[in-house]
Amino acid sequence: MPLKIRKTVQQMVDEANRDIETIPVADAIKLVGQAGITFIDIRDPRELWREGTIPGAINVTRGMLEMWIDPQSPYAKDYFQTGNKFVFFCAGAWRSALATKTAQDMGLTPVAHLEGGLGAWKKAGGPVQKVEPKR
């Protein structure tokens, strides 16, 4: 018998987008390198190697996000305790909407996500940094 889901991914993304801040690409491009702004790339490392990333972005894979945000977790990362504004992004803005909503629900503020993801960023001519696989 096929799975009967209660909510589609699209419904979840739409709900998240109603509750979070979305930054238009043109505005986000102006934030690169600014003090107090941290871009969080939640894509898989293989995506970074193929597509590059926003200069200075920190890669936090979606699977570790909650553990790295929570200061009580043994996996907590200090950069989430800086008080910076965090701008989450992914390839097309679905994963980042869900990640931003999760981070906000956990109490991380201020948080936002990039409208259209890295795809929209590249179309708008935003700077992209090459990422090499770690050996």
Side-chain angles (χ1 to χ4, degrees), residues 99-113:
T100 303
K101 175 74 166 101
T102 296
Q104 183 173 285
D105 287 351
M106 289 181 74
L108 186 67
T109 60
V111 294
H113 90 120

Side-chain angles (χ1 to χ4, degrees), residues 8-42:
T8 66
V9 170
Q10 184 64 64
Q11 287 171 315
M12 293 174 67
V13 169
D14 291 345
E15 287 175 8
N17 277 320
R18 284 193 290 272
D19 292 339
I20 61 174
E21 178 186 356
T22 300
I23 299 178
V25 174
D27 295 342
I29 288 172
K30 297 173 191 167
L31 298 176
V32 173
Q34 280 194 18
I37 303 291
T38 301
F39 283 89
I40 302 290
D41 187 338
I42 62 161

Side-chain angles (χ1 to χ4, degrees), residues 117-134:
L118 190 65
W121 178 272
K122 285 181 163 187
K123 280 184 185 170
V128 176
Q129 173 183 321
K130 188 170 175 53
V131 178
E132 296 290 335
K134 292 186 176 141

Side-chain angles (χ1 to χ4, degrees), residues 48-122:
L48 275 69
W49 304 335
R50 279 194 313 267
E51 303 292 328
T53 192
I54 293 172
I58 297 171
N59 180 230
V60 178
T61 59
R62 184 65 189 91
M64 291 302 293
L65 179 66
E66 294 86 349
M67 279 65 73
W68 288 9
I69 289 173
D70 183 351
Q72 309 276 317
S73 165
Y75 303 102
K77 299 293 183 185
D78 289 341
Y79 49 78
F80 280 122
Q81 313 310 315
T82 61
N84 283 359
K85 180 171 189 160
F86 297 93
V87 180
F88 290 81
F89 69 97
C90 62
W94 281 29
R95 289 174 286 175
S96 62
L98 296 174
T100 303
K101 175 74 166 101
T102 296
Q104 183 173 285
D105 287 351
M106 289 181 74
L108 186 67
T109 60
V111 294
H113 90 120
L114 176 64
E115 182 176 47
L118 190 65
W121 178 272
K122 285 181 163 187

